[in-house]
Amino acid sequence: MTFEEFYGTNYAKMQKAQKQLQDMVYRYEKQVNKDDLNPVMYLSSRIKQPESMLLKLKKRGFEQTLDAALHDVFDAVGLRVICSFVSDVYDFVSWLRRQNEIEIIEEKDYYTCPKPNGYRSFHVLLKIKEGAGKDLHAEMQIRTIAIDCWASLEHQIKYKKELSNEQMIREELKRCADEIASTDLSMQTIRDILMNG
């Protein structure tokens, strides 16, 4: 099934919403870039594949319809903002809260309360209030480059069909996530010392 077949005429608007949110992130970079230190390492975005959306709707107990895809789950449009340091994550979220073109519906701070598997990130569910993507929902995931690497590998492992020693693998992934979080903290400390010294 193609994007157009599932999302219909909404697909073009979703693409505009994706671009609008990308432009918002680029605007942030221009506003806060100082001393050649870019607060955002890179940005990726996507419109959720129809098959993936249908599976998510089924898993969550929603009807597998376009209306449910656009109104019951908020990640048909998704952006991932990758920062160098944990402080950059919180700085970006603070800036995002002040943007008039969006309304933040929900925040999930997995740095303060990591998931059981060790995942740390900051998720923002939002609604676009004005502009080309008006009234569409989106999700932004903001995290450090270190945890992004872990999450990418964990995602690949998680979707393997058969896992022997599954419990051992989960424990190792959790240990790795905790080590990465410790590294993030150490890197943040070094950066703070260099900037304040």
Side-chain angles (χ1 to χ4, degrees):
M1 180 184 307
T2 67
F3 286 104
E4 290 85 354
E5 286 170 340
F6 182 70
Y7 293 113
T9 56
N10 293 284
Y11 183 56
K13 186 174 181 180
M14 293 168 77
Q15 289 177 304
K16 290 176 183 174
Q18 182 182 19
K19 170 94 168 50
Q20 181 179 353
L21 294 172
Q22 287 172 332
D23 290 343
M24 182 187 296
V25 176
Y26 297 142
R27 190 170 71 238
Y28 171 76
E29 288 182 285
K30 287 179 184 171
Q31 287 178 8
V32 302
N33 194 345
K34 51 186 179 289
D35 300 323
D36 295 324
L37 295 175
N38 196 339
V40 176
M41 292 294 292
Y42 59 90
L43 168 69
S44 63
S45 65
R46 59 100 184 105
I47 294 173
K48 201 170 196 71
Q49 293 280 345
E51 293 80 9
S52 179
M53 177 57 81
L54 289 169
L55 281 172
K56 182 167 191 172
L57 291 169
K58 183 178 181 181
K59 185 177 175 183
R60 297 256 178 111
F62 295 118
E63 290 185 38
Q64 294 179 32
T65 63
L66 172 62
D67 187 63
L70 296 178
H71 299 105
D72 292 330
V73 295
F74 296 148
D75 69 340
V77 177
L79 279 83
R80 189 166 292 146
V81 181
I82 308 303
C83 302
S84 298
F85 301 95
V86 175
S87 63
D88 293 334
V89 170
Y90 284 103
D91 288 346
F92 177 78
V93 171
S94 178
W95 177 86
L96 203 58
R97 291 176 182 134
R98 300 190 302 271
Q99 301 315 297
N100 294 326
E101 69 191 280
I102 62 167
E103 172 190 352
I104 294 180
I105 296 167
E106 186 178 356
E107 296 180 1
K108 298 177 183 178
D109 184 351
Y110 297 119
Y111 280 101
T112 302
C113 297
K115 287 189 173 184
N117 66 354
Y119 175 74
R120 290 159 173 87
S121 184
F122 202 111
H123 293 194
V124 176
L125 304 178
L126 59 88
K127 180 178 180 181
I128 300 173
K129 296 195 317 188
E130 56 189 53
K134 185 177 179 183
D135 295 328
L136 286 181
H137 294 97
E139 179 184 45
M140 280 195 189
Q141 297 178 355
I142 308 103
R143 58 193 187 212
T144 64
I145 194 166
I147 202 69
D148 187 58
C149 176
W150 175 90
S152 297
L153 296 173
E154 190 266 352
H155 181 78
Q156 288 181 37
I157 293 168
K158 190 167 78 174
Y159 287 97
K160 295 281 186 191
K161 297 295 181 206
E162 293 179 27
L163 287 176
S164 58
N165 303 322
E166 183 174 352
Q167 185 59 36
M168 186 269 296
I169 290 169
R170 290 186 187 284
E171 288 169 4
E172 279 299 298
L173 282 168
K174 170 73 166 69
R175 186 185 61 76
C176 289
D178 291 344
E179 287 180 5
I180 287 170
S182 177
T183 300
D184 263 340
L185 184 61
S186 297
M187 295 300 286
Q188 180 72 56
T189 301
I190 293 167
R191 179 200 199 191
D192 291 348
I193 291 168
L194 289 172
M195 292 185 76
N196 296 324

